[in-house]
Amino acid sequence: MDPTDTEELPHVTRPMHRTAAALTTLACVTGLAACSSDGEPAGEQALKQSVTADLLPPIVQPGPRPAAADAAKAVVSARVTPAEEGREVTLQSRSSGGWESARTAETNPLGTADFTVDQQPDTTYRVVVTGAGDLPDVTSEPVDDVWQYAFSDEFDGTALDEAQWFYRGAEYNVEGYRACSKGSPDAAEVSAGVLRLLVARDPARTEQCTAKTADGEVLGQFDYRLNGHVASKALIHYGVTAARIRFPRPEGQHGSFWFQSPIEGGKPNPTDSGSEIDVVEYFGDRDDDRLASFVYYPTEDGSVKEGDWIEKASRFLAGKDDDWWKAFHVFTLEWTPEEYVIRIDGQEAWRTDQGVSQQAEFIVLSLLSSDYELPKLKGEDNLPQGMAVDWVRAWGK
């Protein structure tokens, strides 16, 4: 959440892209031979392809109301190399009678297919890719549950658990283009199993604030605001982290789930100093998609920004009656030493190998109102605004 962003659509140094790197730990092929449907080498043609499978923790739970995190569904993610759209992939589970086919999907243009499955701690899965052209059938290695909790909060009780969280951004930040807003414990409420982060008037400031752009252009006079802005005391290093969130509808503020490195003034690279990982940012309801993912990382030449608006983000919604402000959706970061994978309700939305942090970082949840956004709320009578977080969980292997 770069505080220097002062435009509605900040400059992006690189277009959003996904890498072609595979998850090597679960590959059926290591460069020597592929596996046929019965697990045996499949000849020279099989050298051209491989398939990986990964069983991810419970990260699928869209819905309009709060729900127990234990009721979420898991994901089996398959990736076929070479990437090709339309390859048929069959999910199989193992029982006492052997392997049974559950259902079939087709790969997307990047060669991936994701299957939602019920939590079954003792179930083993694999995927079978149907042959195409000169390529024979190929089967992944079996996978089962290898995840352990690293962090969990379902926001029970009536207050934020300050043994797990701390408040951020307690000062009005002129240099960071939030001269009119600051973080405050008064903008974070817990009730009925939900953390609600607010943008609300600051009762201690009865005068108005002059909001300006980075170029000094006056945008208008606005009430001073308090922002909900909290971070985990636990540091996360690799693994899978998910947050179930419902965003506020209006523009004028942006809700976010992100990671920040605790290292300040470190070396100019993400290996030694970490990166800012914006898993998701939502800027309000408009005709176009307003969901974005970014990574900011240090280099010798200064900070680099990777990412963009998530392409056709509405494709992850359940239909015309669903929206980011109508229902909770689970946003997930899968973080390995080689790459980040962003998922929405278990489906891959973005993948990048740029700026991968090798440092442990804390989780951040925020609803921030940067100065450039304030006119978009269309009136101070529309305060307060609220972002609801049902649960946050992190797993490591």
Side-chain angles (χ1 to χ4, degrees):
M1 188 61 53
D2 190 348
T4 63
D5 284 348
T6 59
E7 297 298 330
E8 180 178 1
L9 227 174
H11 175 67
V12 178
T13 59
R14 292 188 178 92
M16 176 173 283
H17 70 283
R18 307 186 197 187
T19 69
L23 299 176
T24 58
T25 56
L26 297 176
C28 186
V29 177
T30 61
L32 298 177
C35 297
S36 65
S37 59
D38 59 3
E40 295 297 323
E44 293 299 322
Q45 293 298 335
L47 293 174
K48 298 180 181 179
Q49 68 175 338
S50 65
V51 58
T52 65
D54 204 2
L55 176 58
L56 301 174
I59 56 172
V60 181
Q61 197 179 45
R65 291 176 292 277
D70 285 341
K73 294 181 181 292
V75 172
V76 176
S77 181
R79 194 166 192 196
V80 182
T81 303
E84 182 181 352
E85 186 175 12
R87 290 290 299 272
E88 184 178 277
V89 182
T90 300
L91 174 68
Q92 295 184 337
S93 61
R94 185 161 57 194
S95 66
S96 58
W99 289 101
E100 297 180 354
S101 295
R103 57 188 182 276
T104 299
E106 291 187 350
T107 55
N108 63 23
L110 296 168
T112 62
D114 296 315
F115 298 90
T116 299
V117 297
D118 291 329
Q119 293 189 62
Q120 301 287 347
D122 299 324
T123 301
T124 299
Y125 297 96
R126 71 180 186 183
V127 294
V128 179
V129 184
T130 302
D134 293 334
L135 298 174
D137 292 359
V138 62
T139 302
S140 75
E141 292 286 347
V143 293
D144 47 27
D145 189 6
V146 295
W147 299 101
Q148 296 180 336
Y149 287 126
F151 180 88
S152 181
D153 196 346
E154 295 193 60
F155 304 109
D156 298 324
T158 58
L160 190 68
D161 183 356
E162 295 189 22
Q164 295 209 85
W165 301 92
F166 65 94
Y167 299 96
R168 302 187 77 220
E171 303 295 333
Y172 286 100
N173 185 0
V174 176
E175 291 76 14
Y177 304 103
R178 280 197 289 273
C180 302
S181 305
K182 71 174 183 178
S184 171
D186 293 334
E189 304 173 345
V190 175
S191 63
V194 170
L195 166 65
R196 192 162 183 258
L197 300 175
L198 305 176
V199 170
R201 291 184 179 87
D202 183 352
R205 302 292 295 267
T206 57
E207 76 277 25
Q208 286 200 308
C209 174
T210 301
K212 300 179 181 179
T213 67
D215 298 329
E217 177 188 352
V218 174
L219 296 171
Q221 303 292 314
F222 302 92
D223 292 339
Y224 281 89
R225 287 155 162 75
L226 302 179
N227 289 175
H229 192 180
V230 302
S232 66
K233 293 184 177 179
L235 296 178
I236 305 301
H237 195 198
Y238 308 142
V240 173
T241 306
R244 188 172 191 253
I245 299 171
R246 185 179 63 215
F247 291 109
R249 181 176 186 176
E251 295 182 278
Q253 53 276 310
H254 56 282
S256 306
F257 161 41
W258 48 298
F259 285 75
Q260 186 68 58
S261 171
I263 298 173
E264 297 183 4
K267 296 180 181 179
N269 62 75
T271 297
D272 295 314
S273 297
S275 302
E276 178 183 318
I277 312 163
D278 296 348
V279 181
V280 63
E281 297 183 272
Y282 183 64
F283 289 81
D285 180 33
R286 281 184 32 163
D287 291 337
D288 52 348
D289 287 339
R290 304 293 293 163
L291 215 60
S293 296
F294 296 103
V295 177
Y296 300 83
Y297 60 96
T299 71
E300 294 284 354
D301 298 324
S303 179
V304 172
K305 180 179 182 178
E306 179 81 10
D308 205 336
W309 303 114
I310 294 175
E311 184 180 0
K312 298 179 181 177
S314 58
R315 72 187 188 274
F316 298 104
L317 297 172
K320 64 180 181 179
D321 293 329
D322 190 13
D323 218 318
W324 310 116
W325 44 270
K326 289 183 177 180
F328 289 93
H329 294 272
V330 181
F331 302 92
T332 302
L333 172 68
E334 183 183 348
W335 173 13
T336 75
E338 293 80 27
E339 64 180 353
Y340 306 116
V341 182
I342 308 299
R343 296 178 183 274
I344 301 174
D345 291 321
Q347 301 296 304
E348 183 178 326
W350 182 43
R351 182 186 296 256
T352 183
D353 61 359
Q354 300 298 302
V356 178
S357 170
Q358 308 299 322
Q359 298 296 323
E361 305 196 5
F362 48 80
I363 305 164
V364 186
L365 300 167
S366 61
L367 184 61
L368 304 179
S369 50
S370 298
D371 293 344
Y372 75 90
E373 296 179 280
L374 301 186
K376 298 173 185 176
L377 187 59
K378 299 180 180 178
E380 308 298 72
D381 290 343
N382 290 320
L383 292 173
Q385 292 295 320
M387 162 180 150
V389 185
D390 188 19
W391 51 259
V392 180
R393 279 188 166 176
W395 300 262
K397 288 190 177 181

